[in-house]
Amino acid sequence: MAFTPPKESYSGKVFPVEAGTGDGAVSLGGENVLPFHAFEGEIPNKPLVAYEIQDVPPADWPDEVKSQYEGVSDDPVKWAKHCIDELGAKAIALRLVGTHPDGANRSADDASKTVKDVLDAINVPLIIMGSNHAEKDSEVLVKASETAKDKNCIIGKAQEANYKTIAAAAMANNHKLIAMSELDINLSKQLNILITQMGFDNARIITDPMSSALGYGLEYTYSVMERIRLAALTQNDTTMQPPMMADVGMYVWKIKETQAPESDLPDWGSLKERGIAWEAVTASSLLLAGAELLVMRHPEAVKTVNSFVEELS
Amino acid sequence: MALSGVEIFKLLPKTNCKKCGHPTCLAFAMKLAQRQATLDACPDVSEEAKQVLGEASAPPIRPITLGSGDLAVKMGEETVLFRHEKKFVNPSAIAVAIKDTEADDAADAKIDAVNSSEIDRVGQKLRVDAIAIMNESGDASKLEALAQKVAQKAPNVAAIVCTENADAAEAALKNFSGKGALLYGVTDANAEAMVNVAKAHKASVGVKADGLDALSALTEKVKGLGIDDMVIDPQSKTAKDMIENNTLIRRAAIKKSFKPLGFPVINFATRDDSMLETLVASVGICKFASIIVINSVEKWKNLALFTLRQNIYTDPQVPMQVEQKIYEVGDVTADSPLLITTNFSLTYFIVSGEVENSRVPTHLAVMDCEGLSVLTAWAAGKFTAGKIAEFIKESGIADKVSHKELILPGYVAILSGAIEEKLEGWKITVGPREANALPAFLKSRAA
């Protein structure tokens, strides 16, 4: 029996999205096939891994990843430059976690000063994220959008509770927008529709269907991503065609597997490699499910994921 | 090609005799089409129908067992390409490669690593499933020596004998005779001799060829030689090739019912860099490999790969549940607060994650509500005042805490009065509605 390769072609494609300006600009998305299916279509851009930095020192990061940024993490500008110059970062994700009212409660003005300082120091795309406090984020991210005007940043996360102000600011200041909903393809579609109804071009959205760490609900994120991508490609559903983002490091570096010492749990093996593997495998599986933009923390995990992407491309 | 219910119906006796346990032949046909019934339930079916339906109802990917006894691993029987459609059936087996050129102590260390690889995760016992012994030397006696060592030190672990030399195959495989071993390395050139060795020792075979066309021809040839239990290797060199070949094989088998590729797939994901190898193996887990061979099985790597395999192979239609018990988050004392929630795994992960974020040690009572989230469980009558009171009483937590205060999810604030009535002496406090408000809530109480 002769074999005919059962290749498939799709009616839809993922929007290509560019972030950053000038020489440092990077594109993601644009493919018309399932993740890494180069044998049946076009994949113009590789997934992009952004190094996560914060506006305040990462006091709650476990030692294994915190120690990687010793001497630079007290200053976001130093931290960003270290990631680019020493680690080869192609994008920086600045999380303004210090603005959270339960934390340092930095003002929107202070945060926006940090954004400006970091932008002045780097030439790669900047992803600007809030502290995940819906109310405060709408204040902080509006200010940050204005400060970063025309720098073509990726700003978010806009959620159901605060998308209006953040989307309006991203639109007025020429940024891309992260739209985040909680692990449900219908919620994700609905939020993208609400945002486009404001006049926001859906080709400027990045969908974040919410990440989860390996072993902690990863299969939900994995399947929601696969379903979103299938809807984009097979049904040509334009509301599902923005590239997807996986906020990996934040979910991985708070669970037990990345913190429990080997002396407590000898069956789990070396803590150092375990933590790196946890972040890298969470990333690799979400890449296979369709993520194009990853936000990660550990340099060794990023390095391995980049080698992996090379092998897949 | 799979038949539709109506097509199957046409082949049935159409007597509606109910002997199969279904009210009509059409109802039985529908069940057959969904593979929820088997044809032998019908006593009056014709020989012709048996033949047609037997072929159509055979699973698109042949079921094969690797190894024997308690540690045997089932492979194949998959029915879908995406896990949200239906559960992936048989989780990928992880095998470690040992070359017959490796130093004795290195080989010993790997065998020990396999023997001590068992990890208990969310109630499942997970381990390295197989050892692949590789005839790197090309020398039959070296492979035989390694086979003897493995058979002696890991007698219950499934063996994969990897060689293209039939003499070496015989020398090694006799150590695993009748134990469900896999003889890997059957090619177009050596097929007859290798199949004879495999038959003599009741082993299945692993066939390899360059390209899926050649691979299809080879499986037909091996079938002609009298072996149906095959595992196929499209010889992917990169992760990119793995995705292409594994996807085309799975599609051909499931969507086109292409029998020559309807077999479990083996992938060699071996890489010099152990961390990169972990990620290449993750491709095998997500993308349809039944056996993934890797160079090393460090405990950290096993934990990550076993966990991914568990995640990908869970049933998407059954809510993941965690065990009902009082979990201790952080270094709890008798004074630590007591929270209650339901046992939907996502609920548990999110709530326990936020409690960890708060850095306030907390007793977290997780109640069995058949894997439903708080509001759904409440609406379904599974998270009620009576059941909560009973769970708290029977849990024995009253003896472990110095206080009698239970913190309830904000969404079910309405239950607080009724619980206070049923749990005598307890104070019920209404906590936040969403888990992300827990850190602030717990910190403000601790202050």
Side-chain angles (χ1 to χ4, degrees), chain A residues 16 19 95 109 118 138 160 188 203 218 223 238 244 286 309:
Chain A
R95 197 186 303 278
D109 284 330
V118 171
S138 55
E160 195 191 352
S188 172
L218 178 79
S223 281
T238 54
M244 289 186 284
L286 295 180
V309 166

Side-chain angles (χ1 to χ4, degrees), chain A residues 1-8 10 34-40 59-62 100 102-103 132 159 182-183 210 212-220 222-224 226-227 230 254-257 259 262 266-278 280-282 284-285 288-289 300-301 303-313, chain B residues 81-85 116 118-121 212-213 216-217 220 237-241 243-245 247-249 251-252 255-261 271 273 275-280 282-284 286-287 299-301 303-305 307-312 314 316 318-320 344-346 348-350 352-354 356-357 359 434 436 439-440 443:
Chain A
M1 214 187 298
F3 173 73
T4 319
K7 293 189 183 177
E8 288 177 6
Y10 305 93
L34 289 170
F36 308 106
H37 283 213
F39 59 93
E40 54 191 1
D60 61 345
W61 292 17
H100 199 289
D102 297 338
N132 202 24
Q159 308 181 45
E182 295 186 349
L183 285 177
M210 195 163 142
S212 348
L214 174 63
Y216 291 81
L218 178 79
E219 67 273 29
Y220 293 92
Y222 184 92
S223 281
V224 170
E226 280 202 329
R227 291 178 64 198
L230 283 167
K254 68 176 188 187
I255 60 167
K256 196 172 175 186
E257 280 77 356
Q259 315 203 24
E262 189 175 3
D267 279 354
W268 284 11
S270 155
L271 172 60
K272 181 181 172 64
E273 277 87 1
R274 193 196 319 140
I276 296 167
W278 221 261
V281 170
T282 303
S284 70
S285 48
L288 296 172
E300 288 299 316
K303 198 178 95 191
T304 311
V305 167
N306 280 331
S307 309
F308 177 65
V309 166
E310 286 307 313
E311 215 193 292
L312 282 165
S313 303
Chain B
L81 280 140
F82 299 100
R83 64 174 296 281
H84 62 263
E85 297 172 325
S116 63
E118 187 167 288
I119 299 168
D120 191 320
R121 190 175 172 89
L212 300 183
D213 209 15
S216 311
E220 294 283 85
K237 301 282 185 292
T238 62
K240 182 188 181 194
D241 296 344
I243 292 187
E244 173 174 350
N245 289 323
T247 302
L248 291 174
I249 289 170
R251 273 189 200 157
K255 298 177 86 170
K256 308 284 180 195
S257 294
F258 184 72
K259 294 287 175 196
L261 292 180
R271 296 292 182 276
D273 178 335
M275 196 60 74
L276 181 61
E277 177 171 279
T278 310
L279 300 196
V280 177
S282 78
V283 176
C286 294
K287 293 292 162 189
K299 287 187 181 302
W300 56 265
K301 183 196 269 181
L303 187 69
L305 291 177
T307 304
L308 178 64
R309 181 175 68 177
Q310 198 174 40
N311 284 173
I312 296 296
T314 53
V318 178
M320 276 277 280
F344 176 39
S345 64
L346 263 194
Y348 166 75
F349 290 143
I350 291 170
S352 61
E354 293 296 352
E356 272 165 25
N357 285 348
R359 314 235 155 202
E434 298 288 348
N436 63 15
K443 275 191 234 167

